[in-house]
């Protein structure tokens, strides 16, 4: 008879041990129940400049991310959509997958933002995961769409306005959805030209705020 310890392994690591006594008159059966290791991916969405604070009329929710099995991003696992959380962050959570390597890519930008072109690899080596479940985080940042407003001031000539200068006027652009957001132009030059630069995506009302002398 043999009385000793046996080691059960998966080809790389010992995953279980058991004691057994073997003799000519007996046989031994050992039942194995494997627990599949699983992983999920949580994607956080941020403004590249302001984090969780959106700019203008842009929105971080609604962005779509597709998760792939291959680096060329052709073998789709799942597509998930970003939503706003109670704590003010924006995220989406995948389902549970078998551990391995996956690739995350933004496939639809949210309103008012440029799409993130980066592909994010997410890797979990099976032998390095000691628990049944693991969670992996990806942070993806988008640049807000910006534009300029060019303004040319004209004065209708009359006897009283012939000597009035076009230079020195300043214009303001107020975001319609939040009137506390006001952006100002450069001063008009002698031709009445000025510009309001780098306005975040949105709808604005433009007013002359400073009249030239």
């Amino acid at each position: 008879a043999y009385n000793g310890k046996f080691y059960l392994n998966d080809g790389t690591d010992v995953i279980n041990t058991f004691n057994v006594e073997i003799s000519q008159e007996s046989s031994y059966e050992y039942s194995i129940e494997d627990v599949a290791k699983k992983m999920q991916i949580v994607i956080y969405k941020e403004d590249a400049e302001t984090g969780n604070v959106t700019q203008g009329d842009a929105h971080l929710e609604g962005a779509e991310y597709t998760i792939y099995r291959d680096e060329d991003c052709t073998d789709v696992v799942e597509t998930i959509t970003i939503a706003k959380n109670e704590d003010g962050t924006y995220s989406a959570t995948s389902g549970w997958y078998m551990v391995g390597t996956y690739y995350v890519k933004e496939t639809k930008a949210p309103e008012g933002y440029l799409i993130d072109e980066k592909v994010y690899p997410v890797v979990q080596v099976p032998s390095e995961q000691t628990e049944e479940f693991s969670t992996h985080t990806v942070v993806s940042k988008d640049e807000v769409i910006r534009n300029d407003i060019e303004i040319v001031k004209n004065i209708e000539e009359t006897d009283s306005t012939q000597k009035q200068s076009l230079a020195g006027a300043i214009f303001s652009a107020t975001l319609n959805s939040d009137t506390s957001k006001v952006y100002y132009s450069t001063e008009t030059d002698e031709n009445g030209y000025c510009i309001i630069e780098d306005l975040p995506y949105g709808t604005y009302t433009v007013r002359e705020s400073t009249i030239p002398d």
Side-chain angles (χ1 to χ4, degrees):
Y2 174 81
N3 189 352
K5 179 178 287 188
F6 282 76
Y7 295 85
L8 183 67
N9 69 75
D10 62 359
T12 56
D13 299 320
V14 174
I15 58 175
N16 212 336
T17 63
F18 57 96
N19 292 307
V20 61
E21 182 178 345
I22 300 176
S23 67
Q24 292 181 343
E25 293 81 19
S26 65
S27 62
Y28 186 85
E29 292 183 1
Y30 184 76
S31 298
I32 303 170
E33 291 185 4
D34 285 338
V35 176
K37 296 177 182 178
K38 301 180 182 68
M39 61 183 285
Q40 71 175 181
I41 302 169
V42 180
I43 303 168
Y44 285 94
K45 189 72 183 162
E46 293 183 0
D47 182 298
E49 299 174 24
T50 57
N52 294 322
V53 180
T54 56
Q55 301 186 65
D57 289 330
H59 300 283
L60 288 171
E61 60 263 48
E64 292 183 0
Y65 285 81
T66 302
I67 299 166
Y68 302 88
R69 294 184 180 88
D70 63 315
E71 191 174 2
D72 292 333
C73 298
T74 60
D75 188 2
V76 176
V77 179
E78 183 182 13
T79 297
I80 55 181
T81 303
I82 298 292
K84 188 173 183 178
N85 303 312
E86 291 183 0
D87 62 359
T89 60
Y90 298 83
S91 69
T93 302
S94 74
W96 290 100
Y97 312 143
M98 298 295 292
V99 293
T101 300
Y102 298 88
Y103 299 87
V104 176
K105 182 179 180 180
E106 185 174 19
T107 47
K108 179 184 175 184
E111 181 184 358
Y113 284 94
L114 301 171
I115 199 164
D116 182 1
E117 299 284 356
K118 184 177 179 180
V119 176
Y120 297 86
V122 181
V123 181
Q124 177 59 62
V125 178
S127 61
E128 295 179 359
Q129 181 167 317
T130 58
E131 303 294 333
E132 182 178 354
F133 301 99
S134 65
T135 299
H136 301 259
T137 299
V138 169
V139 179
S140 172
K141 300 181 179 183
D142 283 0
E143 296 279 353
V144 71
I145 295 171
R146 292 182 178 275
N147 278 298
D148 302 335
I149 298 177
E150 294 182 318
I151 301 166
V152 177
K153 178 179 174 63
N154 292 308
I155 297 177
E156 183 178 354
E157 287 195 12
T158 65
D159 291 340
S160 61
T161 61
Q162 285 180 355
K163 295 182 180 181
Q164 186 172 343
S165 173
L166 290 172
I170 296 176
F171 288 80
S172 64
T174 302
L175 184 66
N176 288 357
S177 61
D178 183 355
T179 55
S180 68
K181 303 291 178 64
V182 182
Y183 303 83
Y184 292 93
S185 72
T186 57
E187 286 190 358
T188 54
D189 60 18
E190 65 275 11
N191 298 312
Y193 173 84
C194 67
I195 186 170
I196 305 175
E197 298 181 302
D198 293 332
L199 288 173
Y201 175 90
T203 302
Y204 295 84
T205 298
V206 176
R207 297 181 178 87
E208 186 175 14
S209 56
T210 301
I211 299 173
D213 296 333

